[in-house]
Amino acid sequence: MIKGKDIIVVGIQAWDIEIGSNCKNIALEFSKNNRVLYVNPPMDRSTMQKDKHKEKVQKRIKIKNGLEPDLYEIKENLWNLYPKNCVESINWLPLDAVFKILNKRNARLFSADIKSAAQRLNFKDIILFNDSSMFLGRHLKEFLQPKVYAYYMRDYLVKVPYWQKHGERMEPEVLKEADVLLTNSDFFADFGLQYNNHSYMVGQGCDVSQFSDEAGTIQVPEEFKGVPSPVIGYVGSLISLRLDIKLLEFMAEQRKNWSIVLVGPEDEDFKKSKLHQLPNVYFFGSKDGAELPAYVKGFDVAINPQLTNNLTIGNYPRKIDEYLAMGKPIVATKTKAMEMFKEFVYLASSKEEYIILTEKALEENSNELAKKRADFAKSHTWENNVSAIYKAIIKATKHKIKWD
């Protein structure tokens, strides 16, 4: 346990992001026993000009011009900083030399805003927790001089177009200089060992309370009334870079008595796919997060039909915990990151195995198995996740820091 310390959290998601955020949940847990400054990513000049009509950008412009405060208290021991300085958008620059110069300049401006807030809050001997900000993060240790620099890797961002050009060179540099590398999967922990001997898998937190149906009060939506059983379902964004459209088509065509229900917004590839011509495939569209437990309850088997590629191979899929919390049998693509679920999830390596294991999941399901799944999901709390983070930080730095 780490208590009574000053922690600065930087990352790639602002506090006012509309979707759920690992980094925000971790910061909230940090703040139970420490003082925490959560720093939003700085606004870049391109966004300021292109999206100046948007409310969030207008707020940033007012802060930049001193018309609104840059520092807000969210709750006791937790503050949110909106950096005043505007940085340059440089991720598409073709020349590494120019990128390096401007990236260091961006980091210096960003660090100046952080230092200002830290001084106002009287932060001392900071622990810097960086959630995947690999560009700005390259120079934060140099400019902020933290007591501990922890880098958190939870996605293979260097394979995402925005980060790819410079990230494949830049992120390893950040991993090398971090005092500790924290990851949410064994895949990333093993990857990190190439660059940092203090690379640890700390698991993943997940608030599954809304997916608990112990009282049996969650009602299956009316949309399921016209859908024949068994229902094989997926909840989440339907993105062809991450999900296997051909696998879904195969399942629907091989088992015409199954209903394949897909809940979530579609990208263009999904909209144009053959799935829309198959009579046993149902698209329910995008739903509010609060509605999702009811849709999961309508599934006989929940699936996670991931493609196996650089974007997905190391990912910890939070939706698996949500499915488990509902007690649902699950069939998912087998990856190293999924091995920790192997006692509770059927893991498939091919489209044929998806058919075999889905049939097995339907046959074997029971109330006893449902309870075991739900109990396992409950163990993945943010409290347990942050406890593992604390242990990893202490283990990695005990040779140079005396922890209380």
Side-chain angles (χ1 to χ4, degrees):
M1 174 69 76
I2 293 176
K3 291 184 177 181
K5 305 300 181 183
D6 293 333
I7 303 176
I8 294 178
V9 177
V10 300
I12 56 177
Q13 294 175 324
W15 188 266
D16 57 2
I17 192 171
E18 291 87 354
I19 61 174
S21 164
N22 284 25
C23 195
K24 286 175 61 176
N25 288 118
I26 288 171
L28 284 165
E29 195 65 36
F30 281 162
S31 71
K32 292 179 180 179
N33 294 289
N34 303 278
R35 296 198 306 160
V36 179
L37 174 63
Y38 188 99
V39 184
N40 293 337
M43 182 173 64
D44 64 77
R45 195 178 308 279
S46 174
T47 299
M48 183 177 68
Q49 294 172 349
K50 182 179 63 176
D51 297 330
K52 60 184 178 183
H53 61 286
K54 294 183 179 179
E55 183 179 349
K56 288 183 179 180
V57 175
Q58 288 178 1
K59 179 181 179 71
R60 290 296 192 101
I61 293 172
K62 289 177 182 177
I63 291 170
K64 179 180 183 294
N65 294 331
L67 301 176
E68 289 191 16
D70 61 336
L71 189 61
Y72 292 84
E73 185 173 10
I74 298 171
K75 61 183 283 292
E76 185 180 5
N77 286 337
L78 179 61
W79 294 265
N80 182 207
L81 174 67
Y82 286 79
K84 286 184 177 181
N85 281 307
C86 187
V87 299
E88 304 299 333
S89 180
I90 59 175
N91 57 305
W92 301 114
L93 286 175
L95 298 177
D96 285 348
V98 177
F99 174 88
K100 286 180 180 179
I101 292 169
L102 291 178
N103 187 57
K104 191 166 187 177
R105 176 186 178 275
N106 283 349
R108 185 180 287 110
L109 292 171
F110 185 48
S111 297
D113 285 322
I114 296 173
K115 283 182 180 178
S116 171
Q119 289 169 359
R120 281 175 275 163
L121 295 172
N122 196 31
F123 271 35
K124 305 290 185 183
D125 297 327
I126 65 170
I127 297 171
L128 180 61
F129 180 89
N130 178 358
D131 173 28
S132 303
S133 181
M134 65 186 77
F135 294 167
L136 293 170
R138 174 63 182 85
H139 298 287
L140 292 183
K141 187 174 184 178
E142 173 187 351
F143 292 139
L144 297 178
Q145 295 292 303
K147 184 177 182 180
V148 175
Y149 184 22
Y151 189 78
Y152 181 44
M153 186 178 185
R154 58 184 172 90
D155 215 340
Y156 210 4
L157 290 179
V158 296
K159 298 302 180 182
V160 175
Y162 179 90
W163 303 98
Q164 189 167 16
K165 180 169 181 57
H166 298 285
E168 290 188 332
R169 169 182 52 80
M170 188 68 67
E171 190 168 44
E173 293 179 7
V174 182
L175 300 187
K176 288 176 184 178
E177 72 173 13
D179 295 302
V180 58
L181 172 60
L182 309 164
T183 75
N184 66 351
S185 76
D186 289 323
F187 176 86
F188 289 138
D190 289 346
F191 172 84
L193 284 172
Q194 301 174 78
Y195 309 103
N196 192 315
N197 290 331
H198 299 292
S199 178
Y200 303 103
M201 201 282 278
V202 295
Q204 168 78 47
C206 186
D207 181 5
V208 296
S209 57
Q210 74 176 111
F211 285 85
S212 175
D213 191 33
E214 292 178 354
T217 55
I218 296 176
Q219 299 296 313
V220 176
E222 290 290 318
E223 287 163 281
F224 282 88
K225 285 195 173 177
V227 179
S229 293
V231 175
I232 316 302
Y234 172 85
V235 164
S237 296
L238 301 169
I239 300 173
S240 60
L241 283 174
R242 293 181 178 271
L243 299 183
D244 192 337
I245 292 176
K246 294 299 181 185
L247 166 61
L248 291 169
E249 291 174 352
F250 180 81
M251 292 181 72
E253 290 174 333
Q254 292 297 309
R255 294 295 183 270
K256 292 183 173 59
N257 61 314
W258 292 356
S259 296
I260 310 295
V261 171
L262 305 173
V263 184
E266 301 174 69
D267 71 4
E268 287 304 311
D269 288 332
F270 264 89
K271 289 177 182 177
K272 296 174 183 176
S273 71
K274 184 181 177 182
L275 290 166
H276 283 275
Q277 279 73 57
L278 298 175
N280 58 333
V281 178
Y282 300 81
F283 287 86
F284 282 177
S286 183
K287 304 296 177 184
D288 184 84
E291 298 179 88
L292 296 182
Y295 283 86
V296 175
K297 187 171 183 177
F299 300 161
D300 294 300
V301 174
I303 57 173
N304 191 32
Q306 281 191 149
L307 287 168
T308 302
N309 57 31
N310 287 327
L311 283 177
T312 64
I313 194 168
N315 284 3
Y316 183 109
R318 290 174 66 171
K319 71 173 78 284
I320 297 297
D321 277 321
E322 294 167 350
Y323 290 160
L324 289 170
M326 293 290 294
K328 294 297 176 180
I330 304 163
V331 181
T333 303
K334 185 176 183 178
T335 64
K336 185 160 187 174
M338 283 298 302
E339 287 179 5
M340 66 177 294
F341 294 99
K342 62 185 178 182
E343 291 183 33
F344 304 92
V345 177
Y346 300 91
L347 301 179
S349 300
S350 66
K351 61 183 185 294
E352 290 81 12
E353 276 196 6
Y354 257 92
I355 297 290
I356 294 168
L357 293 177
T358 300
E359 290 178 335
K360 187 176 182 182
L362 288 166
E363 292 169 5
E364 293 182 347
N365 194 31
S366 67
N367 291 334
E368 181 183 357
L369 286 175
K371 186 179 185 308
K372 287 181 178 179
R373 296 179 193 121
D375 288 344
F376 179 68
K378 289 175 188 174
S379 70
H380 295 161
T381 63
W382 289 111
E383 181 180 4
N384 288 344
N385 183 208
V386 169
S387 177
I389 289 172
Y390 288 154
K391 289 176 183 176
I393 290 174
I394 292 170
K395 184 176 181 180
T397 60
K398 63 182 179 181
H399 62 288
K400 67 175 184 176
I401 297 172
K402 184 178 180 180
W403 296 96
D404 299 333

